[in-house]
Amino acid sequence: MKKLGLLSVIIVLILFGMGCSRPSYVEVPDEKLQSIKQAQDIFDVLKETETIELELDYGLSPFHDFIIGEKYVVGIIASSQFRTYLWKKDGTFLGEIASYGKGPGEYMSGVTGCFLDSAHFLLFDRYLLRCSLFKLDEEQVIFLDTYDTTKWVEGSIDLVFFHKGEIFCFNFAGGKGVPRMLVLDRKITTGSGFFTRKHVSHIMFETFNIFEDRIFMTEELYLKKIRTDSLHPENTGKILITDLKGNLVHKVKFNTDTVAQMIIPDKETETLFLGDKIIDLNGNILKIFDDEISVRKNGDWLKTSQKVRNTRDRVIYAEKVGDDEKIVLHLFEYKI
């Protein structure tokens, strides 16, 4: 009996030791950790890689999204109707992408979209729950077809990526049983839903991004009780990493009281920039940034700039120049 008891203790100690020595999911190099530690504000880890000057009309502002293609730029206004406007890449303003309405080729709330190639743009309508395909032909926009997305998702689609020949669609909130993620083929004939919601979500701050062969998404956000003084959502400190088929690869857990503003991995996928903080894939918070950003240090362009809501793999600031004559897009990548 004594030998059996001693053997049990040894086994427990071995298992405990294995648990304590379990390797981290990823090791961040010391040089990168030092760069993150020394960063004073977000522009010490964001590097401006491109600027695009666009003609401005109608005093359009603020912007919910900018979708930048090879030849054209689509800008979506942050309003209840999400009006959608089109520019050539050289800055020429072409006007609204389509007429307001419910008919074929019209839209009522163009919340997101993607370029399928240099000349074809797919616009998703949050109100009509459909998407419309347009061909952009120099000075005109040609409507091609419309597709009912409710056959795959009984709700809105809020963010879209065209990646490796497929259309990846996500919603920021939705009803119980609705997939958070939908993958469509390029011809929009077949679709597959993933990550079915377990709760009714009223929280419109879920965040998604695609980098190479990985999808990054915040865990489903929801409220335990709607009618309460505290509206702090559940799951704020959880990020899921999946492959392009929706298979879970890794789950990151960290302590936070704030919702992730964005999820942008560095090029080695060792750390994640969340807008107000940087974490590693082991759930360690490496840096928390203050809200204040120095105009003197970073440039006068910040005085008339607003950060665009949707980020994808880049952070975009829209700067108004002159008397609403043009807008300059400052495109930043997360580089350490």
Side-chain angles (χ1 to χ4, degrees):
M1 291 295 291
K2 288 183 178 180
K3 290 183 178 180
L4 182 61
L6 180 61
L7 181 61
S8 299
V9 170
I10 293 173
I11 292 173
V12 169
L13 289 174
I14 292 173
L15 292 174
F16 180 78
M18 290 175 62
C20 291
S21 61
R22 185 179 298 151
S24 300
Y25 184 75
V26 65
E27 293 293 337
V28 182
D30 290 339
E31 184 178 354
K32 184 177 291 187
L33 287 173
Q34 192 65 21
S35 296
I36 293 171
K37 182 178 179 180
Q38 293 174 350
Q40 297 179 9
D41 63 37
I42 62 173
F43 291 110
D44 287 331
V45 297
L46 296 178
K47 310 301 180 185
E48 188 167 7
T49 56
E50 187 178 3
T51 58
I52 301 175
E53 292 190 6
L54 304 174
E55 295 175 353
L56 191 60
D57 204 349
Y58 310 143
L60 302 177
S61 181
F63 284 93
H64 172 74
D65 200 0
F66 273 102
I67 305 159
I68 299 169
E70 296 177 29
K71 297 181 179 179
Y72 299 93
V73 175
V74 172
I76 299 175
I77 299 297
S79 68
S80 60
Q81 294 180 343
F82 291 101
R83 306 300 285 269
T84 305
Y85 296 88
L86 180 67
W87 288 263
K88 287 184 180 179
K89 197 75 174 286
D90 65 9
T92 305
F93 182 62
L94 299 177
E96 196 165 2
I97 197 167
S99 299
Y100 183 80
K102 297 181 180 181
E106 299 176 334
Y107 79 105
M108 298 190 73
S109 184
V111 67
T112 188
C114 61
F115 285 95
L116 301 181
D117 53 39
S118 62
H120 291 85
F121 185 77
L122 191 62
L123 178 66
F124 286 76
D125 194 315
R126 172 183 283 178
Y127 182 83
L128 298 176
L129 303 180
R130 69 187 190 192
C131 60
S132 297
L133 181 62
F134 299 94
K135 181 179 179 180
L136 312 179
D137 184 16
E138 289 301 321
E139 301 298 332
Q140 63 178 333
V141 178
I142 304 169
F143 166 69
L144 297 180
D145 207 348
T146 189
Y147 308 88
D148 177 13
T149 57
T150 59
K151 66 176 70 176
W152 299 294
V153 172
E154 294 182 1
S156 64
I157 292 170
D158 301 299
L159 182 63
V160 173
F161 300 78
F162 183 66
H163 186 71
K164 295 189 175 182
E166 293 184 302
I167 304 162
F168 293 83
C169 312
F170 303 92
N171 53 61
F172 294 154
K176 185 177 180 180
V178 174
R180 301 177 66 214
M181 169 181 161
L182 170 67
V183 183
L184 299 170
D185 70 295
R186 192 188 187 285
K187 295 183 179 181
I188 321 175
T189 56
T190 61
S192 301
F194 302 89
F195 294 96
T196 300
R197 292 188 179 276
K198 300 176 183 177
H199 310 86
V200 176
S201 175
H202 302 272
I203 309 296
M204 297 295 294
F205 297 105
E206 294 180 8
T207 303
F208 305 86
N209 194 10
I210 299 180
F211 178 71
E212 295 182 348
D213 62 346
R214 291 290 182 262
I215 299 171
F216 300 81
M217 66 177 76
T218 50
E219 179 61 285
E220 176 184 344
L221 299 179
Y222 67 96
L223 299 173
K224 283 186 176 179
K225 294 182 180 180
I226 303 296
R227 296 182 179 179
T228 177
D229 293 336
S230 176
L231 295 179
H232 188 273
E234 301 296 314
N235 288 336
T236 53
K238 297 178 182 178
I239 291 175
L240 308 180
I241 303 175
T242 79
D243 62 20
L244 298 182
K245 299 298 183 181
N247 300 306
L248 185 64
V249 174
H250 182 58
K251 180 181 288 188
V252 184
K253 296 182 180 181
F254 58 103
N255 294 319
T256 182
D257 290 327
T258 61
V259 175
Q261 302 171 17
M262 59 195 73
I263 306 174
I264 305 179
D266 61 44
K267 65 179 182 178
E268 293 85 16
T269 322
E270 295 170 337
T271 66
L272 303 176
F273 176 66
L274 306 183
D276 64 340
K277 63 177 66 69
I278 296 174
I279 66 172
D280 64 19
L281 272 65
N282 308 309
N284 300 311
I285 298 177
L286 306 179
K287 187 73 177 184
I288 298 177
F289 295 103
D290 295 330
D291 291 333
E292 290 197 16
I293 299 174
S294 172
V295 173
R296 179 180 298 179
K297 173 187 172 184
N298 293 291
D300 288 341
W301 64 270
L302 273 171
K303 293 179 181 178
T304 59
S305 297
Q306 291 181 323
K307 187 163 62 175
V308 177
R309 162 66 171 91
N310 282 347
T311 55
R312 295 178 174 83
D313 60 339
R314 290 186 286 188
V315 179
I316 302 177
Y317 278 81
E319 174 197 7
K320 279 193 172 183
V321 179
D323 187 18
D324 286 353
E325 294 176 354
K326 66 177 180 178
I327 194 165
V328 178
L329 303 184
H330 298 265
L331 279 59
F332 292 85
E333 293 183 5
Y334 171 48
K335 290 188 176 181
I336 295 294

